[in-house]
Short mmCIF file of all heavy atoms in Angstrom, two decimals:
data_model
loop_
_atom_site.label_atom_id
_atom_site.label_comp_id
_atom_site.label_asym_id
_atom_site.label_seq_id
_atom_site.Cartn_x
_atom_site.Cartn_y
_atom_site.Cartn_z
N VAL V 140 108.98 127.64 172.02
CA VAL V 140 109.17 128.98 172.58
C VAL V 140 107.82 129.57 172.98
O VAL V 140 107.64 130.11 174.09
CB VAL V 140 109.89 129.89 171.57
CG1 VAL V 140 109.86 131.34 172.05
CG2 VAL V 140 111.32 129.44 171.37
N ILE V 141 106.84 129.44 172.09
CA ILE V 141 105.49 129.97 172.38
C ILE V 141 104.90 129.26 173.60
O ILE V 141 104.33 129.89 174.50
CB ILE V 141 104.57 129.79 171.16
CG1 ILE V 141 105.09 130.64 169.99
CG2 ILE V 141 103.13 130.18 171.49
CD1 ILE V 141 104.38 130.37 168.66
N ALA V 142 105.06 127.95 173.64
CA ALA V 142 104.47 127.16 174.73
C ALA V 142 105.10 127.51 176.07
O ALA V 142 104.40 127.67 177.08
CB ALA V 142 104.65 125.67 174.42
N ILE V 143 106.43 127.65 176.09
CA ILE V 143 107.11 127.95 177.36
C ILE V 143 106.73 129.33 177.86
O ILE V 143 106.47 129.52 179.07
CB ILE V 143 108.64 127.85 177.16
CG1 ILE V 143 109.05 126.38 176.97
CG2 ILE V 143 109.38 128.44 178.35
CD1 ILE V 143 110.49 126.18 176.59
N MET V 144 106.65 130.31 176.97
CA MET V 144 106.28 131.66 177.39
C MET V 144 104.85 131.69 177.94
O MET V 144 104.56 132.35 178.93
CB MET V 144 106.45 132.63 176.23
CG MET V 144 107.91 132.83 175.83
SD MET V 144 108.14 133.89 174.40
CE MET V 144 107.66 135.47 175.07
N THR V 145 103.96 130.95 177.29
CA THR V 145 102.57 130.87 177.78
C THR V 145 102.53 130.22 179.16
O THR V 145 101.84 130.69 180.07
CB THR V 145 101.71 130.04 176.80
OG1 THR V 145 101.84 130.59 175.49
CG2 THR V 145 100.25 130.04 177.21
N ASP V 146 103.29 129.15 179.29
CA ASP V 146 103.32 128.43 180.57
C ASP V 146 103.89 129.31 181.68
O ASP V 146 103.40 129.31 182.81
CB ASP V 146 104.17 127.16 180.40
CG ASP V 146 103.98 126.19 181.55
OD1 ASP V 146 102.86 126.13 182.10
OD2 ASP V 146 104.94 125.50 181.90
N LEU V 147 104.93 130.07 181.35
CA LEU V 147 105.57 130.94 182.34
C LEU V 147 104.58 131.97 182.89
O LEU V 147 104.48 132.17 184.11
CB LEU V 147 106.78 131.63 181.72
CG LEU V 147 107.75 132.35 182.66
CD1 LEU V 147 108.34 131.38 183.66
CD2 LEU V 147 108.86 133.03 181.87
N VAL V 148 103.83 132.58 181.99
CA VAL V 148 102.85 133.59 182.42
C VAL V 148 101.77 132.94 183.29
O VAL V 148 101.44 133.44 184.38
CB VAL V 148 102.21 134.27 181.18
CG1 VAL V 148 101.06 135.17 181.60
CG2 VAL V 148 103.25 135.07 180.42
N GLY V 149 101.25 131.80 182.84
CA GLY V 149 100.19 131.12 183.60
C GLY V 149 100.64 130.69 184.98
O GLY V 149 99.92 130.87 185.97
N CYS V 150 101.85 130.15 185.06
CA CYS V 150 102.36 129.65 186.35
C CYS V 150 102.67 130.79 187.32
O CYS V 150 102.46 130.67 188.53
CB CYS V 150 103.61 128.79 186.14
SG CYS V 150 103.23 127.22 185.35
N PHE V 151 103.17 131.93 186.79
CA PHE V 151 103.42 133.08 187.64
C PHE V 151 102.10 133.59 188.24
O PHE V 151 102.03 133.92 189.43
CB PHE V 151 104.11 134.20 186.86
CG PHE V 151 105.60 134.25 187.08
CD1 PHE V 151 106.47 134.02 186.04
CD2 PHE V 151 106.12 134.53 188.34
CE1 PHE V 151 107.84 134.05 186.24
CE2 PHE V 151 107.49 134.59 188.55
CZ PHE V 151 108.35 134.35 187.50
N ILE V 152 101.06 133.67 187.42
CA ILE V 152 99.76 134.15 187.92
C ILE V 152 99.23 133.20 189.00
O ILE V 152 98.77 133.64 190.05
CB ILE V 152 98.75 134.25 186.74
CG1 ILE V 152 99.18 135.36 185.78
CG2 ILE V 152 97.35 134.52 187.26
CD1 ILE V 152 98.36 135.42 184.50
N TYR V 153 99.33 131.90 188.74
CA TYR V 153 98.84 130.92 189.72
C TYR V 153 99.61 131.02 191.04
O TYR V 153 99.02 131.01 192.13
CB TYR V 153 98.96 129.51 189.14
CG TYR V 153 98.44 128.43 190.05
CD1 TYR V 153 97.09 128.38 190.40
CD2 TYR V 153 99.29 127.47 190.59
CE1 TYR V 153 96.62 127.39 191.26
CE2 TYR V 153 98.82 126.47 191.43
CZ TYR V 153 97.49 126.44 191.76
OH TYR V 153 97.01 125.46 192.61
N LEU V 154 100.93 131.16 190.95
CA LEU V 154 101.75 131.28 192.16
C LEU V 154 101.40 132.55 192.93
O LEU V 154 101.25 132.53 194.15
CB LEU V 154 103.24 131.28 191.79
CG LEU V 154 104.21 131.39 192.96
CD1 LEU V 154 104.14 130.15 193.84
CD2 LEU V 154 105.64 131.60 192.46
N TYR V 155 101.25 133.64 192.20
CA TYR V 155 100.94 134.92 192.86
C TYR V 155 99.58 134.86 193.56
O TYR V 155 99.41 135.36 194.68
CB TYR V 155 100.98 136.05 191.85
CG TYR V 155 100.72 137.40 192.45
CD1 TYR V 155 101.52 137.88 193.49
CD2 TYR V 155 99.67 138.20 192.01
CE1 TYR V 155 101.27 139.12 194.07
CE2 TYR V 155 99.42 139.43 192.59
CZ TYR V 155 100.22 139.89 193.61
OH TYR V 155 99.97 141.10 194.19
N LEU V 156 98.60 134.24 192.92
CA LEU V 156 97.27 134.10 193.55
C LEU V 156 97.36 133.37 194.88
O LEU V 156 96.67 133.71 195.84
CB LEU V 156 96.33 133.35 192.60
CG LEU V 156 95.82 134.12 191.37
CD1 LEU V 156 95.09 133.17 190.42
CD2 LEU V 156 94.90 135.26 191.78
N SER V 157 98.23 132.37 194.92
CA SER V 157 98.37 131.58 196.16
C SER V 157 99.10 132.36 197.24
O SER V 157 99.01 132.02 198.42
CB SER V 157 99.11 130.27 195.87
OG SER V 157 100.48 130.51 195.68
N PHE V 158 99.83 133.41 196.85
CA PHE V 158 100.59 134.20 197.82
C PHE V 158 99.79 135.37 198.40
O PHE V 158 100.12 135.89 199.47
CB PHE V 158 101.85 134.77 197.17
CG PHE V 158 103.05 133.85 197.26
CD1 PHE V 158 103.68 133.39 196.12
CD2 PHE V 158 103.54 133.46 198.49
CE1 PHE V 158 104.77 132.54 196.19
CE2 PHE V 158 104.63 132.62 198.58
CZ PHE V 158 105.25 132.16 197.43
N ILE V 159 98.74 135.82 197.70
CA ILE V 159 98.06 137.07 198.10
C ILE V 159 97.54 137.00 199.54
O ILE V 159 97.75 137.92 200.34
CB ILE V 159 96.90 137.36 197.12
CG1 ILE V 159 97.47 137.79 195.76
CG2 ILE V 159 95.99 138.46 197.67
CD1 ILE V 159 96.42 138.02 194.69
#
Side-chain angles (χ1 to χ4, degrees):
V140 170
I141 295 171
I143 289 172
M144 292 176 69
T145 306
D146 195 32
L147 192 60
V148 172
C150 290
F151 260 117
I152 293 173
Y153 181 64
L154 180 66
Y155 182 57
L156 287 171
S157 74
F158 271 120
I159 289 176

